[in-house]
Amino acid sequence: MSRPRPPLKILHIASGDLWAGAEVQAYTLLCALRDNEDMQVAAILLNEGELARRLRARGIEVYIVPENTLNAWGILLELRKLMLAWQPNLIHTHRIKENILGSIANRLSRNVPSVRTVHGAGEHVPKGLRKIHKRILNYLDCWTGLHLQQKAIAVSQELAGKLLANFPLKHLVVIENGVDVDAVCTQKHVVEFRESMPHAIHVGIVGRLVPVKRVDIFLEMALLLSDRHANQAWQFHVFGDGPLKDSLIARTNELGIGPIVTFHGHRQDIIPCIAGLDVLVMCSDHEGLPMTILESMALQIRIVAHAVGGLSDALRDYRQGLLVAGHSANDYADAVFRLIRQSPTADPQPPMERFSARSNARAVARLYADLTAGSVPAN
């Protein structure tokens, strides 16, 4: 009789400095893959943080290569050392620095199949010397993805179309993000803002405070709603942190809506915060398939979103969602008011199986199996 095939050893490389969309998806995927008896998973993170803490709590091996004390060369050497020690059969990277250094370290050590997940389109290009640095990084990211990695996972069809500028079609695979619905729903409880103002309409936006998220439009929308429907108590919530925080707070005061807008910063209890909203607004210029949308759908929250990227696909069959094509404060204000006038009945058949962690992990596991077919797993 042939000996049973040992499990495939899958090593993920991510930043781990934030607890944002890419980190949440990496966590969800690793947890789902951990339940696959044919696989053994581990993660190398460049920062100690929430992702590391949560992965360890689920019994997943985590190795820290601290980018705050190592330069790129030092990170590369540490990655190579860990790869040689752990002996993975496949490397899966997330974000630009991790894509570049992870794929090079793999080539210098194990040289096993490697994939990346592209979680969204690139953000604005900085000016001056930072622009040159960004262009160099983008070039290296594309080159390593094309020559040192076998596949690039796009989280939406629209994102895959944009990636065709850098990768041939055969190099791309679309695998939509997944959410652990049961885990999300068990985190619901009444948060302080809902408890203190139960009769207000609570409208929120979740994301990093960076230009692409267009929190400026959200604030202008808040002004319109509070002016047009002054007989209704409104509260607007901004969840997240980032470089635009001070300027956005200043803009809030300029608009005269400071008393009804709360900047919560980064919250570890973001699921209960989302559950406390009457409407979630996502007015980004572009998106891949944000975990916030999937978590909100799992919670049956009403959603108003810009009709771009994976947002359009995700909300097309979601009965409590409205897509906005115009991308102006007026368009979002009209959509929010129209949505809150509807009865917030639970969707009897929400489209969550398609976006479940289980479905996502199955698709990723099939990709791993295809790329490692014929290889001999490490003992």
Side-chain angles (χ1 to χ4, degrees):
M1 292 181 61
S2 61
R3 295 172 59 186
R5 182 183 176 94
L8 285 173
K9 300 183 72 175
I10 310 297
L11 183 62
H12 282 243
I13 304 175
S15 173
D17 60 332
L18 305 171
W19 180 246
E23 288 72 28
V24 175
Q25 175 54 23
Y27 168 78
T28 304
L29 174 58
L30 280 160
C31 291
L33 291 173
R34 179 180 176 274
D35 296 331
N36 187 332
E37 62 183 15
D38 296 325
M39 289 185 189
Q40 180 182 350
V41 295
I44 297 176
L45 306 180
L46 302 192
N47 295 274
E48 190 67 62
E50 186 66 14
L51 178 57
R53 185 188 69 79
R54 294 189 185 221
L55 289 174
R56 291 192 188 104
R58 293 296 298 270
I60 295 171
E61 290 181 79
V62 176
Y63 304 93
I64 303 296
V65 177
E67 65 177 352
N68 61 330
T69 60
L70 295 172
N71 58 22
W73 179 248
I75 294 172
L76 181 65
L77 292 179
E78 287 298 312
L79 290 176
R80 179 178 180 274
K81 185 188 301 183
L82 285 169
M83 289 176 187
L84 289 171
W86 203 72
Q87 295 284 294
N89 304 113
L90 184 139
I91 307 292
H92 190 151
T93 63
H94 306 263
R95 298 191 186 275
I96 290 180
K97 179 187 287 187
E98 294 72 25
N99 293 339
I100 296 169
L101 297 178
S103 59
I104 294 174
N106 175 43
R107 178 58 63 94
L108 296 176
S109 59
R110 294 281 291 157
N111 198 23
V112 294
S114 178
V115 303
R116 66 173 59 188
T117 293
V118 183
H119 295 273
E123 298 183 8
H124 73 290
V125 177
K127 298 178 180 179
L129 292 176
R130 291 187 63 197
K131 180 176 182 180
I132 297 173
H133 180 256
K134 184 71 171 178
R135 283 185 173 178
I136 293 172
L137 282 180
N138 286 338
Y139 172 80
L140 289 173
D141 186 42
C142 292
W143 189 90
T144 53
L146 187 60
H147 298 284
L148 303 184
Q149 295 185 296
Q150 283 66 47
K151 291 288 183 179
I153 299 172
V155 299
S156 71
Q157 288 288 351
E158 183 186 73
L159 182 56
K162 292 180 178 179
L163 292 176
L164 284 172
N166 299 317
F167 299 104
L169 182 60
K170 65 180 181 179
H171 209 82
L172 299 172
V173 57
V174 176
I175 301 178
E176 293 170 321
N177 286 341
V179 62
D180 187 335
V181 177
D182 292 337
V184 167
C185 291
T186 58
Q187 297 179 56
K188 291 195 297 183
H189 64 258
V190 179
V191 288
E192 73 283 353
F193 64 79
R194 191 85 213 185
E195 194 170 40
S196 62
M197 297 195 68
H199 302 299
I201 297 295
H202 294 272
V203 184
I205 185 170
V206 178
R208 290 198 69 223
L209 304 187
V210 293
V212 69
K213 297 299 182 181
R214 298 310 303 271
V215 181
D216 58 319
I217 294 180
F218 177 83
L219 296 175
E220 292 166 7
M221 175 207 72
L223 175 62
L224 292 177
L225 285 169
S226 60
D227 281 351
R228 292 175 182 174
H229 311 287
N231 59 333
Q232 171 64 57
W234 296 91
Q235 285 294 311
F236 299 91
H237 304 272
V238 180
F239 299 101
D241 209 341
L244 295 185
K245 182 178 180 179
D246 291 343
S247 63
L248 289 170
I249 291 175
R251 179 59 177 156
T252 301
N253 294 329
E254 288 173 7
L255 294 173
I257 53 175
I260 59 172
V261 178
T262 303
F263 284 81
H264 293 265
H266 177 73
R267 300 257 317 222
Q268 302 288 16
D269 61 340
I270 193 61
I271 298 299
C273 291
I274 294 172
L277 297 175
D278 293 292
V279 183
L280 174 83
V281 175
M282 185 157 284
C283 46
S284 307
D285 287 332
H286 56 78
E287 286 283 357
L289 181 55
M291 292 298 292
T292 297
I293 285 292
L294 302 186
E295 291 162 344
S296 301
M297 290 168 63
L299 292 165
Q300 293 287 294
I301 299 300
R302 290 173 287 195
I303 302 169
V304 169
H306 191 196
V308 292
L311 298 175
S312 296
D313 290 337
L315 295 180
R316 185 171 293 120
D317 298 319
Y318 183 61
R319 300 180 188 181
Q320 297 194 84
L322 284 177
L323 290 165
V324 173
H327 202 35
S328 72
N330 185 66
D331 294 314
Y332 290 106
D334 287 346
V336 167
F337 191 69
R338 189 172 39 181
L339 199 56
I340 63 173
R341 294 181 67 184
Q342 301 175 7
S343 299
T345 55
D347 190 338
Q349 292 182 322
M352 295 312 299
E353 177 55 33
R354 171 183 170 187
F355 300 113
S356 70
R358 183 173 52 251
S359 296
N360 172 263
R362 278 199 301 260
V364 173
R366 284 195 297 268
L367 177 62
Y368 292 167
D370 290 343
L371 292 176
T372 58
S375 64
V376 179
N379 293 320

PDB file of all heavy atoms in Angstrom, residues 12 54 61 126 161 186 208 210 223 231 268 295 311 319 323 331 339 348-349 360:
ATOM      1  N   HIS A  12       1.831  31.783   4.517  1.00  0.00           N
ATOM      2  CA  HIS A  12       1.365  33.116   4.124  1.00  0.00           C
ATOM      3  C   HIS A  12       2.323  34.171   4.659  1.00  0.00           C
ATOM      4  O   HIS A  12       2.856  34.042   5.764  1.00  0.00           O
ATOM      5  CB  HIS A  12      -0.040  33.381   4.674  1.00  0.00           C
ATOM      6  CG  HIS A  12      -1.122  32.712   3.905  1.00  0.00           C
ATOM      7  ND1 HIS A  12      -2.104  33.399   3.239  1.00  0.00           N
ATOM      8  CD2 HIS A  12      -1.372  31.400   3.681  1.00  0.00           C
ATOM      9  CE1 HIS A  12      -2.924  32.556   2.644  1.00  0.00           C
ATOM     10  NE2 HIS A  12      -2.503  31.328   2.905  1.00  0.00           N
ATOM     11  N   ARG A  54      -4.732  37.244  16.911  1.00  0.00           N
ATOM     12  CA  ARG A  54      -5.895  36.424  16.572  1.00  0.00           C
ATOM     13  C   ARG A  54      -5.494  35.084  15.963  1.00  0.00           C
ATOM     14  O   ARG A  54      -6.138  34.062  16.220  1.00  0.00           O
ATOM     15  CB  ARG A  54      -6.806  37.193  15.614  1.00  0.00           C
ATOM     16  CG  ARG A  54      -7.437  38.424  16.256  1.00  0.00           C
ATOM     17  CD  ARG A  54      -8.494  39.027  15.359  1.00  0.00           C
ATOM     18  NE  ARG A  54      -9.019  40.273  15.903  1.00  0.00           N
ATOM     19  CZ  ARG A  54     -10.306  40.620  15.887  1.00  0.00           C
ATOM     20  NH1 ARG A  54     -11.198  39.798  15.342  1.00  0.00           N
ATOM     21  NH2 ARG A  54     -10.707  41.762  16.393  1.00  0.00           N
ATOM     22  N   GLU A  61       0.440  28.813  13.629  1.00  0.00           N
ATOM     23  CA  GLU A  61       1.820  29.234  13.846  1.00  0.00           C
ATOM     24  C   GLU A  61       2.060  30.621  13.241  1.00  0.00           C
ATOM     25  O   GLU A  61       1.692  30.876  12.095  1.00  0.00           O
ATOM     26  CB  GLU A  61       2.790  28.252  13.199  1.00  0.00           C
ATOM     27  CG  GLU A  61       2.890  26.901  13.866  1.00  0.00           C
ATOM     28  CD  GLU A  61       3.898  26.014  13.154  1.00  0.00           C
ATOM     29  OE1 GLU A  61       5.117  26.186  13.377  1.00  0.00           O
ATOM     30  OE2 GLU A  61       3.463  25.169  12.354  1.00  0.00           O
ATOM     31  N   PRO A 126       2.075  59.406  -4.744  1.00  0.00           N
ATOM     32  CA  PRO A 126       2.604  60.595  -4.080  1.00  0.00           C
ATOM     33  C   PRO A 126       3.481  61.423  -5.012  1.00  0.00           C
ATOM     34  O   PRO A 126       3.867  60.971  -6.095  1.00  0.00           O
ATOM     35  CB  PRO A 126       3.427  60.004  -2.921  1.00  0.00           C
ATOM     36  CG  PRO A 126       3.780  58.629  -3.376  1.00  0.00           C
ATOM     37  CD  PRO A 126       2.634  58.156  -4.224  1.00  0.00           C
ATOM     38  N   GLY A 161      -9.815  42.683 -14.407  1.00  0.00           N
ATOM     39  CA  GLY A 161      -9.708  43.436 -15.653  1.00  0.00           C
ATOM     40  C   GLY A 161      -8.630  44.500 -15.583  1.00  0.00           C
ATOM     41  O   GLY A 161      -7.882  44.712 -16.548  1.00  0.00           O
ATOM     42  N   THR A 186     -22.082  36.231  15.963  1.00  0.00           N
ATOM     43  CA  THR A 186     -21.960  36.017  17.406  1.00  0.00           C
ATOM     44  C   THR A 186     -21.322  37.209  18.119  1.00  0.00           C
ATOM     45  O   THR A 186     -21.315  37.251  19.348  1.00  0.00           O
ATOM     46  CB  THR A 186     -21.117  34.760  17.703  1.00  0.00           C
ATOM     47  OG1 THR A 186     -19.821  34.899  17.099  1.00  0.00           O
ATOM     48  CG2 THR A 186     -21.796  33.512  17.158  1.00  0.00           C
ATOM     49  N   ARG A 208      -9.872  53.020   6.225  1.00  0.00           N
ATOM     50  CA  ARG A 208      -8.739  53.889   6.505  1.00  0.00           C
ATOM     51  C   ARG A 208      -9.038  55.299   5.994  1.00  0.00           C
ATOM     52  O   ARG A 208      -9.700  55.471   4.964  1.00  0.00           O
ATOM     53  CB  ARG A 208      -7.472  53.362   5.824  1.00  0.00           C
ATOM     54  CG  ARG A 208      -6.933  52.077   6.439  1.00  0.00           C
ATOM     55  CD  ARG A 208      -5.489  51.855   6.022  1.00  0.00           C
ATOM     56  NE  ARG A 208      -4.612  52.838   6.646  1.00  0.00           N
ATOM     57  CZ  ARG A 208      -3.617  53.477   6.040  1.00  0.00           C
ATOM     58  NH1 ARG A 208      -3.365  53.257   4.754  1.00  0.00           N
ATOM     59  NH2 ARG A 208      -2.855  54.345   6.681  1.00  0.00           N
ATOM     60  N   VAL A 210      -7.944  57.641   4.088  1.00  0.00           N
ATOM     61  CA  VAL A 210      -7.063  57.910   2.956  1.00  0.00           C
ATOM     62  C   VAL A 210      -7.917  58.424   1.805  1.00  0.00           C
ATOM     63  O   VAL A 210      -9.144  58.246   1.799  1.00  0.00           O
ATOM     64  CB  VAL A 210      -6.284  56.630   2.542  1.00  0.00           C
ATOM     65  CG1 VAL A 210      -5.296  56.227   3.622  1.00  0.00           C
ATOM     66  CG2 VAL A 210      -7.241  55.476   2.243  1.00  0.00           C
ATOM     67  N   LEU A 223     -24.106  66.592   5.890  1.00  0.00           N
ATOM     68  CA  LEU A 223     -24.656  67.956   5.925  1.00  0.00           C
ATOM     69  C   LEU A 223     -25.985  68.024   5.188  1.00  0.00           C
ATOM     70  O   LEU A 223     -26.961  68.609   5.691  1.00  0.00           O
ATOM     71  CB  LEU A 223     -23.645  68.919   5.301  1.00  0.00           C
ATOM     72  CG  LEU A 223     -24.120  70.376   5.141  1.00  0.00           C
ATOM     73  CD1 LEU A 223     -24.421  70.998   6.502  1.00  0.00           C
ATOM     74  CD2 LEU A 223     -23.083  71.196   4.377  1.00  0.00           C
ATOM     75  N   ASN A 231     -36.076  67.456  11.011  1.00  0.00           N
ATOM     76  CA  ASN A 231     -36.960  66.919  12.046  1.00  0.00           C
ATOM     77  C   ASN A 231     -36.531  65.539  12.517  1.00  0.00           C
ATOM     78  O   ASN A 231     -37.082  65.004  13.474  1.00  0.00           O
ATOM     79  CB  ASN A 231     -38.400  66.856  11.526  1.00  0.00           C
ATOM     80  CG  ASN A 231     -38.521  65.989  10.278  1.00  0.00           C
ATOM     81  OD1 ASN A 231     -37.557  65.841   9.524  1.00  0.00           O
ATOM     82  ND2 ASN A 231     -39.704  65.428  10.056  1.00  0.00           N
ATOM     83  N   GLN A 268     -11.319  47.926  17.731  1.00  0.00           N
ATOM     84  CA  GLN A 268     -11.185  46.469  17.665  1.00  0.00           C
ATOM     85  C   GLN A 268     -12.554  45.802  17.594  1.00  0.00           C
ATOM     86  O   GLN A 268     -12.688  44.702  17.056  1.00  0.00           O
ATOM     87  CB  GLN A 268     -10.421  45.953  18.895  1.00  0.00           C
ATOM     88  CG  GLN A 268      -9.035  46.545  19.067  1.00  0.00           C
ATOM     89  CD  GLN A 268      -8.035  46.027  18.049  1.00  0.00           C
ATOM     90  OE1 GLN A 268      -8.401  45.456  17.034  1.00  0.00           O
ATOM     91  NE2 GLN A 268      -6.757  46.239  18.322  1.00  0.00           N
ATOM     92  N   GLU A 295     -19.164  41.661   5.847  1.00  0.00           N
ATOM     93  CA  GLU A 295     -19.566  41.603   7.256  1.00  0.00           C
ATOM     94  C   GLU A 295     -20.916  42.285   7.462  1.00  0.00           C
ATOM     95  O   GLU A 295     -21.764  41.785   8.218  1.00  0.00           O
ATOM     96  CB  GLU A 295     -18.493  42.268   8.117  1.00  0.00           C
ATOM     97  CG  GLU A 295     -17.197  41.475   8.172  1.00  0.00           C
ATOM     98  CD  GLU A 295     -16.005  42.282   8.638  1.00  0.00           C
ATOM     99  OE1 GLU A 295     -16.083  43.537   8.649  1.00  0.00           O
ATOM    100  OE2 GLU A 295     -14.982  41.666   8.981  1.00  0.00           O
ATOM    101  N   LEU A 311     -18.149  45.760  -5.222  1.00  0.00           N
ATOM    102  CA  LEU A 311     -19.357  46.258  -4.572  1.00  0.00           C
ATOM    103  C   LEU A 311     -20.583  45.983  -5.435  1.00  0.00           C
ATOM    104  O   LEU A 311     -21.637  45.584  -4.925  1.00  0.00           O
ATOM    105  CB  LEU A 311     -19.234  47.757  -4.303  1.00  0.00           C
ATOM    106  CG  LEU A 311     -18.115  48.197  -3.361  1.00  0.00           C
ATOM    107  CD1 LEU A 311     -18.062  49.722  -3.297  1.00  0.00           C
ATOM    108  CD2 LEU A 311     -18.303  47.609  -1.982  1.00  0.00           C
ATOM    109  N   ARG A 319     -31.016  42.533  -0.930  1.00  0.00           N
ATOM    110  CA  ARG A 319     -32.256  43.306  -0.964  1.00  0.00           C
ATOM    111  C   ARG A 319     -32.212  44.566  -0.118  1.00  0.00           C
ATOM    112  O   ARG A 319     -33.068  45.439  -0.248  1.00  0.00           O
ATOM    113  CB  ARG A 319     -33.420  42.423  -0.506  1.00  0.00           C
ATOM    114  CG  ARG A 319     -33.615  41.197  -1.394  1.00  0.00           C
ATOM    115  CD  ARG A 319     -34.763  40.348  -0.926  1.00  0.00           C
ATOM    116  NE  ARG A 319     -34.823  39.093  -1.662  1.00  0.00           N
ATOM    117  CZ  ARG A 319     -35.736  38.153  -1.471  1.00  0.00           C
ATOM    118  NH1 ARG A 319     -36.661  38.332  -0.550  1.00  0.00           N
ATOM    119  NH2 ARG A 319     -35.715  37.038  -2.176  1.00  0.00           N
ATOM    120  N   LEU A 323     -27.052  50.674  -4.844  1.00  0.00           N
ATOM    121  CA  LEU A 323     -25.835  51.085  -5.530  1.00  0.00           C
ATOM    122  C   LEU A 323     -26.004  52.484  -6.102  1.00  0.00           C
ATOM    123  O   LEU A 323     -27.059  52.810  -6.653  1.00  0.00           O
ATOM    124  CB  LEU A 323     -25.502  50.100  -6.649  1.00  0.00           C
ATOM    125  CG  LEU A 323     -25.033  48.717  -6.186  1.00  0.00           C
ATOM    126  CD1 LEU A 323     -25.089  47.715  -7.332  1.00  0.00           C
ATOM    127  CD2 LEU A 323     -23.621  48.800  -5.615  1.00  0.00           C
ATOM    128  N   ASP A 331     -26.182  62.286  -4.410  1.00  0.00           N
ATOM    129  CA  ASP A 331     -26.607  60.934  -4.780  1.00  0.00           C
ATOM    130  C   ASP A 331     -26.645  60.018  -3.558  1.00  0.00           C
ATOM    131  O   ASP A 331     -27.582  59.241  -3.371  1.00  0.00           O
ATOM    132  CB  ASP A 331     -25.648  60.346  -5.823  1.00  0.00           C
ATOM    133  CG  ASP A 331     -25.705  61.082  -7.137  1.00  0.00           C
ATOM    134  OD1 ASP A 331     -26.821  61.346  -7.610  1.00  0.00           O
ATOM    135  OD2 ASP A 331     -24.641  61.412  -7.685  1.00  0.00           O
ATOM    136  N   LEU A 339     -33.469  54.488   1.479  1.00  0.00           N
ATOM    137  CA  LEU A 339     -33.291  53.174   2.087  1.00  0.00           C
ATOM    138  C   LEU A 339     -33.870  53.131   3.499  1.00  0.00           C
ATOM    139  O   LEU A 339     -34.482  52.140   3.895  1.00  0.00           O
ATOM    140  CB  LEU A 339     -31.804  52.823   2.116  1.00  0.00           C
ATOM    141  CG  LEU A 339     -31.445  51.343   2.296  1.00  0.00           C
ATOM    142  CD1 LEU A 339     -32.093  50.477   1.239  1.00  0.00           C
ATOM    143  CD2 LEU A 339     -29.932  51.172   2.246  1.00  0.00           C
ATOM    144  N   PRO A 348     -34.641  36.981   3.524  1.00  0.00           N
ATOM    145  CA  PRO A 348     -34.793  35.552   3.801  1.00  0.00           C
ATOM    146  C   PRO A 348     -33.743  34.686   3.118  1.00  0.00           C
ATOM    147  O   PRO A 348     -33.458  33.584   3.564  1.00  0.00           O
ATOM    148  CB  PRO A 348     -36.190  35.243   3.271  1.00  0.00           C
ATOM    149  CG  PRO A 348     -36.438  36.295   2.239  1.00  0.00           C
ATOM    150  CD  PRO A 348     -35.738  37.517   2.724  1.00  0.00           C
ATOM    151  N   GLN A 349     -33.172  35.164   2.035  1.00  0.00           N
ATOM    152  CA  GLN A 349     -32.153  34.398   1.326  1.00  0.00           C
ATOM    153  C   GLN A 349     -30.979  35.304   0.955  1.00  0.00           C
ATOM    154  O   GLN A 349     -30.756  35.593  -0.221  1.00  0.00           O
ATOM    155  CB  GLN A 349     -32.741  33.748   0.064  1.00  0.00           C
ATOM    156  CG  GLN A 349     -33.764  32.650   0.376  1.00  0.00           C
ATOM    157  CD  GLN A 349     -34.280  32.007  -0.900  1.00  0.00           C
ATOM    158  OE1 GLN A 349     -34.483  32.661  -1.909  1.00  0.00           O
ATOM    159  NE2 GLN A 349     -34.492  30.709  -0.834  1.00  0.00           N
ATOM    160  N   ASN A 360     -14.706  30.484  -0.157  1.00  0.00           N
ATOM    161  CA  ASN A 360     -13.426  31.102  -0.478  1.00  0.00           C
ATOM    162  C   ASN A 360     -12.273  30.132  -0.262  1.00  0.00           C
ATOM    163  O   ASN A 360     -11.387  29.987  -1.115  1.00  0.00           O
ATOM    164  CB  ASN A 360     -13.241  32.359   0.383  1.00  0.00           C
ATOM    165  CG  ASN A 360     -11.868  32.965   0.266  1.00  0.00           C
ATOM    166  OD1 ASN A 360     -11.009  32.718   1.103  1.00  0.00           O
ATOM    167  ND2 ASN A 360     -11.634  33.757  -0.770  1.00  0.00           N
TER     168      ASN A 360
END
